Amino acid sequence: MFSFFRSSPPESMQVNEIAISLENKETILAAALRNGINFPYSCKVGGCAECKCRLTRGKIKALTDASYLLSAEEVQTGYILACQSVPKTADVTIEVDLSRARNRLVRGKVIAQEKLTHDIVSIDLELDETVIFKAGQYAKLSLENLPNVTRAYSFASKPSADSSKVRFFIRHVPGGIFSTHIYEEDLLDVGVEVEAPFGEFYLRDSNKPMLLIAGGSGLAPIISILEQAKEDRCERPVTVLLGARAQADIYCQQEIQKIAQDWPAAFEFKQILSEESNETSWQGLRGYIGDHLQTFATDNHQVYLCGPPLMIDNCIEKLSLIGISAAEMFADRFVSNSQ
Ligand code: FES
């Protein structure tokens, strides 16, 4: 069979100095989207030039002649079409203006709905096409049977190239139109719209041990980040702290234990309960997460915090005293919408 690779195909490339993985004969656009980069594109078939980018190093195989779409000057200065370019060498590096990328609105339907606790519901969506996001980011959701209401929720699943299935955790806010609707109505097969990606909460490159702190439904982006990190063969030690009121508020223990299985470094998951009765059998930690940071955090940790703003601000104050700089702390503040 014809092959344009003389040696083994490249397994990675650089997009704006970010290394991304490559699959066999994958186009630059497909690889960028699969790696969660919100890359500008439209047609994907070499007809619009929305995906144009500049090749600054390496060699590519052009699947179509881009000179019909690009100006002579663009071709001379190295512009190519990402959707029509397959890297041939291991040093392929491109520059692209990512600000041209739009957030995309993808339609789909609810395929599963499950109560995780007395006030947190998980919904699984099947979308008409793959939605692009980085693990940890959030989307704006709307439901066809609740017109003119849109709410932001973090993805609770990692991005995936071969699947358009995504998951969200919704905490019921008393009086909240959207969360009450999800909490009370049977939404199976109800149409949805997902606009994404949004937010700057995602895992940064580092060798530092990770401290992941979640309160309320804040485990959603933490699970997304951990699932992606496991797939990327991350070898950093992990500590996950979940703050909850009582045992009834603990969720996703099995999911986190599954991620912890075979994790190549230390992995611990602790729940800290603030209102658990002394009469119960609970043997674990009590109080607030901030009360226990001296035990779990060192000045070498990189920290990701997600949940209620009060919890996050309290933890950041304590983590700063431990010696963790603001540059090593990343927060996603969940603000309840009771309208
Ligand atoms: S996305 Fe249209 S030419 Fe590449």
Side-chain angles (χ1 to χ4, degrees), residues 13 26-32 39-56 59-71 74-75 77-87 92 94-96 100:
M13 61 165 291
E26 196 173 31
T27 65
I28 291 173
L29 177 64
F39 205 100
Y41 74 93
S42 181
C43 71
K44 289 187 175 175
V45 292
C48 71
E50 281 285 307
C51 65
K52 70 181 174 188
C53 56
R54 199 162 77 84
L55 181 69
T56 57
K59 290 196 169 70
I60 56 105
K61 164 82 177 177
L63 303 179
T64 56
D65 182 359
S67 62
Y68 293 106
L69 276 177
L70 301 175
S71 69
E74 285 175 328
V75 172
T77 51
Y79 275 86
I80 57 173
L81 299 177
C83 73
Q84 299 298 305
S85 302
V86 177
V92 166
I94 60 138
E95 287 173 355
V96 58
R100 290 193 291 111

